[in-house]
Amino acid sequence: MSDNAVAGVSTGPAEDDVLAELTAPVPEVGDGGPEMVQLLTPEGQRVENTEYDHYLDGLTDEDLRGFYRDLVLIRRVDAEATALQRQGELGIWASLLGQEAAQVGSGRALRPQDYAFPTYREHGVAWCRGVNPLNLLGLFRGVNHGGWDPNEKNFHLYTIVIGAQTLHATGYAMGVQRDGAVGTGDPDRDTAVIAYFGDGASAQGDVNEAFVYAAVNNAPVVFFCQNNQWAISEPNERQTRIPLYQRARGFGFPGVRVDGNDVLAVYAVATQALNAARSGQGPTFIEAYTYRMGAHTTSDDPTKYRVSAEVEVWKHRDPIERLKSCLVHQAKADQGFFDAVDGEADELAAQVREGCLTMPDPTGDSMFDHVYVEPHPVVEAERREFAEYHAGFATEGGH
C-alpha cells in the first residue's frame, strides 16, 4: 500500500476500490430473511406455517425422536471419521458438521422408490437410505469405490466432480418419466429424484444445464442445494447477486428457501417438492440455508478466510439442540431417551473405528473389477498384463 493511500490521499480508482474492499466491515451473518420457511426457531419453539404445517400431521412422537436419533448418530459418525483422518487412517474426509438437519430432513422425506444423487458430503442422506457408514469410510480410506449397490439403496455413489450429479439426476428423472412412473396416482410407483449440491456448485455449468433440461422436460427432480455459505473459501457474494432459490424462476420452475438447521421445516418442504415431482408437476429448487461449521474437508483451514465470530453465531442455531429443546418442551422425550441415544452413539463410534482399522487392503488387480457390468476383453487383457508384470518380481533375479 502506498504512503499516499495510508495518508488518505486518493491513488486512483482501482487502488481506491481495493482499499475499500480490504477495509470494509465484516457483514453480519444473515438469518435467511423473511422468505425462509421455518417451523422451529433456534430456541426450539414451534412456528405456525399454514402452507407446510400439515406435512407434519402424519409424524408420530416416535418419528420425531427418530429424527433426533438420526441427527446425533450421523454427527458422531462424522466426528469419528474426522478423528480417523487426523490419525492417518483416512486420506481425506468431507465433514457435514452443521448440515445434519438438511440431510436428515430431506432424506426421511424420500420414499423407497425415490432415487438420490449425492455429492461427497451427504453422509446423513446415506444413513437415511440404509448405507453402512463403513462403506463411506472405505471410500475415503481408498479401499473401495463406495462399496454399496446404488440400485439396492436407490442412492447413487458419491460424485467428486462438482455439480456433475445434477445432470445424472436429471437424466435419471427423464428416464423415470418415460417409464411411466410419474403421475399415475400409485404411491408405491410414482417416483421422484433428488440431486444434492452446494452453493458453490450452483455456479457450475453442469448445474445450470441440468436446470434447463429438467425445466423443458418437466422432469420429476428436486434440486436440493445446501447453502452452507462457503464454496471452500469463497463466500456467497462471490457466487450470486440474488438469493440462490430465486435462480429457479429464470429456468421456469419454483424455488423455495428453507431453514436448513430446522429438520422439521426441511422435511415439510422436501415432502411438498417430492410430492409435486411424483405427481408430474416437474422440478423444484430447494435452498437449505445452513452453515458449514467445520472445514470444507480435512485438507482445508477455514481460519484463513472466515472470522470466528461468524461460527459462534451459527453455534446458537445448532440443529440437534434445536430439536432436543422442542422434544423437551413438548414432553415427547425424557432424559432416559437422550441418554440412550448418546449410549448408542458411543457404540456406533466404536464399531466405526474398529471396522475402519480392520478393513482389508484391496489386491492390486481389484482395480479392474466392475469397470464394466460384464467382462470386457480389453480390461481382461490389461488384468493379465498387470498380473504377469507383478509375478516377475517373485521370480529369481526379478527386478
Side-chain angles (χ1 to χ4, degrees), residues 98-111:
Q99 299 178 220
E100 297 91 349
Q103 296 189 16
V104 169
S106 59
R108 289 303 179 196
L110 295 169
R111 291 179 184 170

Side-chain angles (χ1 to χ4, degrees), residues 79-92:
E80 197 66 28
T82 299
L84 285 164
Q85 192 284 328
R86 296 306 191 202
Q87 294 159 13
E89 301 297 340
L90 301 180
I92 195 173

Side-chain angles (χ1 to χ4, degrees), residues 59 66 74 81 108 184 204 221 228 287 333:
L59 295 178
I74 197 57
R108 289 303 179 196
T184 69
Q204 291 286 341
V221 58
N228 64 19
E287 177 192 356

Side-chain angles (χ1 to χ4, degrees), residues 39-47 61 64-65 68 264 320-335 337-338:
L39 301 182
L40 279 181
T41 68
E43 296 75 31
Q45 299 295 323
R46 273 286 276 121
V47 179
D61 291 355
L64 297 177
R65 290 191 292 268
Y68 178 84
L264 300 186
I320 295 180
E321 291 303 316
R322 182 181 305 201
L323 182 58
K324 181 178 182 179
S325 179
C326 174
L327 292 173
V328 170
H329 289 157
Q330 296 187 5
K332 297 183 183 297
D334 57 19
Q335 190 58 46
F337 165 76
F338 298 122

Side-chain angles (χ1 to χ4, degrees), residues 145 362-373 379-380 383:
H145 296 296
T363 59
D365 66 350
S366 66
M367 74 175 82
F368 300 100
D369 296 342
H370 311 301
V371 176
Y372 294 99
V373 174
V379 175
E380 293 309 310
R383 186 197 298 271

Side-chain angles (χ1 to χ4, degrees), residues 174 177-178 209-219 251-253 283:
M174 291 167 62
Q177 186 183 55
R178 284 153 177 76
E209 290 167 5
F211 290 172
V212 171
Y213 272 92
V216 299
N217 287 281
N218 207 43
F251 294 92
F253 55 88

